[in-house]
Amino acid sequence: MRGGSGKIRLFIGLAIVAFAILKYCSSAETNHYTGETQYVDLTTDQEIAMGLSAAPSMIQEYGGLHPDQNAQAQLDRVGNKLVNSSVGKNTEYQYDFHLLADDRTINAFALPGGQCFITAALYSQLENEDQLAGVMGHEIGHVIARHSAERMSQQGLAQGVITGVSVGTDGGGEAAASIAQMLTMKYGRDDELQSDDLGVKMMIDAGYDPYEMIGVMEILKNAAGPNRAPEFQSTHPDPENRVERIKEAIRKYGK
């Protein structure tokens, strides 16, 4: 009976894995703005709705919005200039730029659909408007490339594999989870590099100095300190490695 039960479990597990893979592969489509084939099962309207829904909780998590209206006005001006000078203008996304009150956490991020954020801690470290454009161009790049939606599909695939292996084998779930985590981390680093590339292009199109993005990398490097984790163990590439790719992008886009 045990042998028969094991075979049934294995069959069910394989079926779960096969379904997860089929669902993931059937979501393939071409991103009109990057030209890449990606796997996304969310519509643009769903991305926008998700971002708008999550924005208030993210603002609260970082201590609310910063009260400096002049700084917020500068952020809005830079963000909108980047969008209106790039392929971002042709998207259906609703772009909003938020200066967060957190003065300790050096961070910037974007939610699906166009909600972009920067903390006061990072904003205060920036030396000029071009560096702010570098940060925001990077975050707008995440939105245009649909990285959050793509990551959700990847995580759905990973969860399906984990579930299938756990059902089909004894003790295989932990190994499957480790493999899935490594795969999604790799995609995360690729996302960051692509957003750097898109950010450089947007900076050039909007008339900002793209070399100032290298200064942003120096700020991030100094913020991480001497004991930062090896690149392979992080979803973000090492700032030093990102600099080389940024220089390549500057050469590619002709400045």
Side-chain angles (χ1 to χ4, degrees):
M1 292 293 292
R2 286 186 178 180
S5 175
K7 290 181 180 178
I8 292 173
R9 287 180 56 191
L10 179 60
F11 177 79
I12 294 173
L14 289 172
I16 293 172
V17 171
F19 177 77
I21 294 173
L22 179 62
K23 180 182 178 182
Y24 180 76
C25 292
S26 65
S27 68
E29 61 180 63
T30 300
N31 187 309
H32 299 298
Y33 310 106
T34 65
E36 292 191 348
T37 298
Q38 56 187 170
Y39 300 88
V40 175
D41 55 9
L42 292 175
T43 66
T44 300
D45 287 341
Q46 287 174 325
E47 288 184 82
I48 294 172
M50 288 180 64
L52 289 173
S53 177
S57 63
M58 297 305 299
I59 291 171
Q60 183 178 9
E61 181 178 337
Y62 285 86
L65 296 175
H66 198 281
D68 188 337
Q69 293 301 309
N70 289 331
Q72 179 62 56
Q74 181 192 38
L75 178 60
D76 288 334
R77 183 178 69 253
V78 171
N80 288 320
K81 184 176 181 180
L82 289 165
V83 170
N84 292 327
S85 302
S86 70
V87 294
K89 185 177 181 180
N90 301 322
T91 69
E92 299 176 4
Y93 294 123
Q94 179 177 320
Y95 297 95
D96 293 303
F97 305 95
H98 309 277
L99 178 59
L100 301 171
D102 190 331
D103 60 0
R104 295 187 176 183
T105 308
I106 292 181
N107 197 15
F109 56 93
L111 296 176
Q115 302 298 305
C116 301
F117 303 81
I118 181 173
T119 62
L122 177 54
Y123 179 86
S124 66
Q125 293 281 325
L126 301 177
E127 299 171 354
N128 51 57
E129 189 164 295
D130 295 84
Q131 289 187 353
L132 179 60
V135 175
M136 287 297 101
H138 175 94
E139 300 308 330
I140 296 167
H142 278 305
V143 176
I144 292 173
R146 307 186 74 186
H147 287 152
S148 293
E150 191 174 26
R151 179 68 69 85
M152 290 177 66
S153 294
Q154 293 161 0
Q155 290 174 339
L157 170 63
Q159 187 57 53
V161 172
I162 292 170
T163 301
V165 173
S166 298
V167 169
T169 64
D170 290 324
E174 184 176 346
S178 297
I179 294 171
Q181 182 182 21
M182 291 174 69
L183 287 173
T184 54
M185 285 172 66
K186 176 180 182 296
Y187 282 122
R189 291 196 299 274
D190 289 345
D191 290 350
E192 296 300 322
L193 293 173
Q194 184 179 39
S195 290
D196 284 343
D197 185 273
L198 291 168
V200 166
K201 179 66 164 61
M202 279 185 275
M203 290 181 75
I204 292 174
D205 290 344
Y208 291 109
D209 181 0
Y211 286 97
E212 289 296 337
M213 190 181 276
I214 297 174
V216 175
M217 294 302 107
E218 288 297 319
I219 292 171
L220 296 178
K221 176 183 174 182
N222 292 334
N227 298 318
R228 61 186 187 275
E231 179 179 345
F232 186 72
Q233 297 178 15
S234 170
T235 56
H236 286 64
D238 189 289
E240 293 178 0
N241 294 337
R242 290 173 70 178
V243 166
E244 294 307 313
R245 297 291 289 270
I246 288 169
K247 290 179 180 177
E248 290 178 11
I250 294 172
R251 290 192 292 269
K252 177 171 66 174
Y253 295 121
K255 181 159 182 171

